């Protein structure tokens, strides 16, 4: 077999098989196939696409480039949730303990923030002592004993994805549905799950800006999972403005604690309840989605989800006292209001711009190797459709004297306040549902 022939086949619109994909991916890892050959292949995929069989085969090859965690020792149907990434998306924090408290084990291997999107691991690490780098045997034990464990990708999990993503990142081949779908699914399938709920974001702050592309990504991932015997549900959800009232790591932990205390913003609670309900149905604990909603809402109200979060924090070496004393979480030293320049209605929010504003304050990463400042972020005072007065605060920056002017300018550009009487109808939070 020659890399040249496989590249040529895809370049000319042909269909490649699993052996050929394995030859390329294993060759990349062993050094037998060069980076430039692999990137030529990726570019051919970018233009020619892949059929369902090819995407599933690519996912399988990437999955088996590392180990698949064995969770057979954990009783019950193991269910995870994956979000394709948004701004202010802290849903995993209240969701995972809520679902675990309802009796469904949640193994969750998450990522870090990059660009305008935040990452669950960075949020969790703002809890003093919290460790996301636990070895896999600890992960297996905690899923069994606590019902949930939240860790980062270890080097044993889908190593091919890490190499491939690094190449895609510098060759303009990230935004390609077969490559995104196989990248996400290879990591999720390695967790040892039986079922997966996908939250596919669509809108100004999402990877997928249109419903058509979000639907295609969702269908591709559902087909991959189903092809590997997993129960799959994807929900398309709106990402036209940040989720909740806070963006930034420690700030989002505080907001998640609100949700776990039966409070919190409407959208954040609704996403937790809806995605949680889907997980309970897939996990065989709820008889239908309504029953699932009732169960999740109840465990947010009665303190059992909060208690489970405390157990998870403790098991992962964090300081569980943050549940009762939020002053233990890091806080930024500075505050600055960004105000509306005129009276009018908020008719558009560039969520990606809002996410970048948090990033330039230090709350996110421009490059994978950057460090984040857990203290900083944004407090958002207005939502799409709100009427504001001139001088009214739109957003308060929580800052540490880094990137402030840049963040102010980005927020001013991101919030479009119209004084000509335009109306706006925010998109429904929940869109299509795609199930296996
Ligand atoms: N997230 C991933 O894990 N992989 C991609 O390719 C894109 C987003």
């Amino acid at each position: 077999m020659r890399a040249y022939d496989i590249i040529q086949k895809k370049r000319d619109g042909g269909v490649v098989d699993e052996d050929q994909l394995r030859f390329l991916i294993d060759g990349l890892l062993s050094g037998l196939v060069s980076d430039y050959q692999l990137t030529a292949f990726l570019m051919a995929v970018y233009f020619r696409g892949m059929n369902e069989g090819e995407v599933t085969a690519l996912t399988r090859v990437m999955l088996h480039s590392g180990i698949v965690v064995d969770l057979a020792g954990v009783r019950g149907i193991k269910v995870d949730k994956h979000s394709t990434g948004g701004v202010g998306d802290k849903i995993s924090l209240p969701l995972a303990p809520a679902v675990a408290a309802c009796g469904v084990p949640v193994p969750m291997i998450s990522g870090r923030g990059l660009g305008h999107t935040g990452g669950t691991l960075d949020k969790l690490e703002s809890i003093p002592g919290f460790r996301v780098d636990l070895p896999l045997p600890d992960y297996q034990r905690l899923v069994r004993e606590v019902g949930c464990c939240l860790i980062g990708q270890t080097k044993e999990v889908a190593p091919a994805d890490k190499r491939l993503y690094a190449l895609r990142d510098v060759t303009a081949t990230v935004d390609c549905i077969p490559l995104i779908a196989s990248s996400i699914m290879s990591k999720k399938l390695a967790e040892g799950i039986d079922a997966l709920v996908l939250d596919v974001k669509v809108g100004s702050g999402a990877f997928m800006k249109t419903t058509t592309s979000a639907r295609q990504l969702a269908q591709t991932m559902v087909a991959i999972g189903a092809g590997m015997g997993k129960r799959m549900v994807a929900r398309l959800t709106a990402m036209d403005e940040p989720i909740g009232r806070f963006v930034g790591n420690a700030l989002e932990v505080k907001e998640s604690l609100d949700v776990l205390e039966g409070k919190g913003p409407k959208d954040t609670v609704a996403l937790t309840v809806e995605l949680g309900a889907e997980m309970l149905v897939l996990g065989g604990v709820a008889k239908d989605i309504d029953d699932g909603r009732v169960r999740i809402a109840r465990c947010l109200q009665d303190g059992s989800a909060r208690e489970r979060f405390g157990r998870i924090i403790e098991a992962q070496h964090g300081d569980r006292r943050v549940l009762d004393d939020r002053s233990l979480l890091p806080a930024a030293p500075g505050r600055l209001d960004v105000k509306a320049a005129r009276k009018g209605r908020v008719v558009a929010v560039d969520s990606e711009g809002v996410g970048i504003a948090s990033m330039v304050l230090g709350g996110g990463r421009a490059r994978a190797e950057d460090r984040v400042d857990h203290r900083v972020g944004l407090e958002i005072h207005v939502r799409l459709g709100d009427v504001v007065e001139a001088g009214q605060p739109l957003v308060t920056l929580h800052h540490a004297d880094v990137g402030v002017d840049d963040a102010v300018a980005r927020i001013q550009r991101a919030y479009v306040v119209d004084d000509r009487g335009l109306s706006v109808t925010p998109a429904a939070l929940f869109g299509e549902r795609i199930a296996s």
Side-chain angles (χ1 to χ4, degrees):
M1 216 179 278
R2 291 194 317 160
Y4 183 99
D5 300 324
I6 308 170
I7 298 165
Q8 187 182 44
K9 190 167 187 188
K10 187 41 76 187
R11 184 199 69 185
D12 295 342
V15 173
V16 294
D17 65 27
E18 190 157 334
D19 288 341
Q20 292 170 318
L21 290 166
R22 191 175 304 106
F23 177 83
L24 287 183
I25 302 295
D26 288 356
L28 176 73
L29 295 180
S30 68
L32 231 61
V33 173
S34 64
D35 286 4
Y36 48 82
Q37 284 175 306
L38 219 296
T39 53
F41 178 75
L42 293 172
M43 192 56 86
V45 171
Y46 184 92
F47 283 110
R48 291 296 192 170
M50 280 184 149
N51 68 25
E52 197 179 304
E54 287 177 294
V55 189
T56 303
L58 176 59
T59 307
R60 209 169 7 239
V61 169
M62 302 220 299
L63 169 65
H64 293 296
S65 69
I67 63 163
V68 179
V69 182
D70 181 2
L71 290 180
V74 180
R75 284 176 51 182
I77 300 171
K78 278 76 71 183
V79 189
D80 188 15
K81 184 262 330 183
H82 176 80
S83 158
T84 56
V87 178
D89 187 354
K90 71 275 300 170
I91 302 303
S92 291
L93 273 62
L95 177 72
V99 171
C102 290
V104 173
V106 183
M108 195 177 267
I109 300 184
S110 303
R112 295 195 176 277
L114 189 60
H116 69 283
T117 62
T120 299
L121 301 181
D122 300 317
K123 294 169 207 204
L124 289 168
E125 280 181 342
S126 51
I127 298 171
F130 197 104
R131 283 189 48 198
V132 297
D133 61 346
L134 299 181
L136 290 176
D138 287 4
Y139 164 80
Q140 288 163 303
R141 181 175 57 78
L142 294 186
V143 177
R144 192 172 62 241
E145 291 176 1
V146 185
C148 177
C149 186
L150 302 141
I151 60 166
Q153 196 181 350
T154 69
K155 59 182 185 318
E156 301 106 311
V157 170
D161 174 63
K162 203 166 185 170
R163 283 293 304 280
L164 231 55
Y165 194 89
L167 295 178
R168 289 166 59 206
D169 204 23
V170 292
T171 56
T173 47
V174 168
D175 55 337
C176 168
I177 285 176
L179 300 179
I180 296 173
S182 52
S183 163
I184 291 173
M185 290 302 295
S186 62
K187 288 175 290 205
K188 289 282 123 183
L189 292 163
E191 293 175 338
I193 49 167
D194 301 307
L196 181 64
V197 173
L198 294 162
D199 178 7
V200 180
K201 300 284 181 206
V202 53
S204 65
F207 239 127
M208 299 291 135
K209 308 285 184 212
T210 66
T211 301
T212 309
S213 58
R215 180 190 303 125
Q216 204 185 336
L217 177 62
Q219 286 170 339
T220 307
M221 291 194 288
V222 166
I224 293 170
M228 298 208 197
K230 310 298 174 191
R231 301 179 71 190
M232 302 284 301
V233 169
R235 299 293 300 260
L236 266 50
T237 68
M239 185 68 253
D240 292 319
E241 59 184 325
I243 299 169
R245 283 192 53 226
F246 291 94
V247 178
N249 298 297
L251 293 169
E252 292 188 45
V253 171
K254 288 181 192 161
E255 191 161 54
S256 302
L257 293 176
D258 288 344
V259 177
L260 288 165
E261 288 172 4
K263 300 177 286 194
K266 226 166 100 186
D267 60 346
T268 316
V269 175
L271 282 162
T272 307
V273 169
E274 195 69 12
L275 298 171
E278 295 281 11
M279 291 172 78
L280 295 192
V281 175
L282 291 187
V285 159
K287 64 178 188 298
D288 56 31
I289 192 85
D290 282 335
D291 182 32
R293 289 185 189 117
V294 169
R295 286 171 190 264
I296 295 286
R298 192 166 52 217
C299 83
L300 294 176
Q301 291 298 330
D302 70 12
S304 53
R306 179 178 182 273
E307 168 55 24
R308 188 63 63 118
F309 193 44
R311 284 177 61 194
I312 295 167
I313 295 174
E314 203 169 7
Q316 298 197 221
H317 310 281
D319 187 347
R320 72 170 285 163
R321 292 176 305 161
V322 296
L323 291 185
D324 299 311
D325 181 0
R326 296 184 190 190
S327 71
L328 294 170
L329 287 165
R335 300 278 186 284
L336 182 71
D337 287 339
V338 184
K339 297 176 179 165
R342 65 171 75 83
K343 176 183 162 82
R345 189 180 295 278
V346 179
V347 291
V349 181
D350 169 16
S351 310
E352 187 164 336
V354 177
I356 301 273
S358 178
M359 186 195 85
V360 299
L361 292 177
R365 292 184 185 77
R367 290 167 314 164
E369 58 275 21
D370 292 346
R371 288 176 67 85
V372 301
D373 183 341
H374 295 107
R375 302 172 299 170
V376 302
L378 312 169
E379 182 175 354
I380 294 159
H381 303 294
V382 295
R383 297 193 65 82
L384 261 176
D386 284 357
V387 171
V388 296
E389 297 295 328
Q392 183 179 330
L394 299 171
V395 169
T396 301
L397 309 185
H398 289 233
H399 67 87
D401 280 327
V402 172
V404 174
D405 291 345
D406 192 1
V408 168
R410 287 176 191 277
I411 294 295
Q412 280 166 342
R413 281 200 300 274
Y415 281 82
V416 181
V417 176
D418 170 81
D419 56 4
R420 293 163 302 165
L422 287 183
S423 65
V424 60
T425 314
L429 182 56
F430 296 101
E432 290 171 34
R433 177 176 188 278
I434 295 153
S436 58

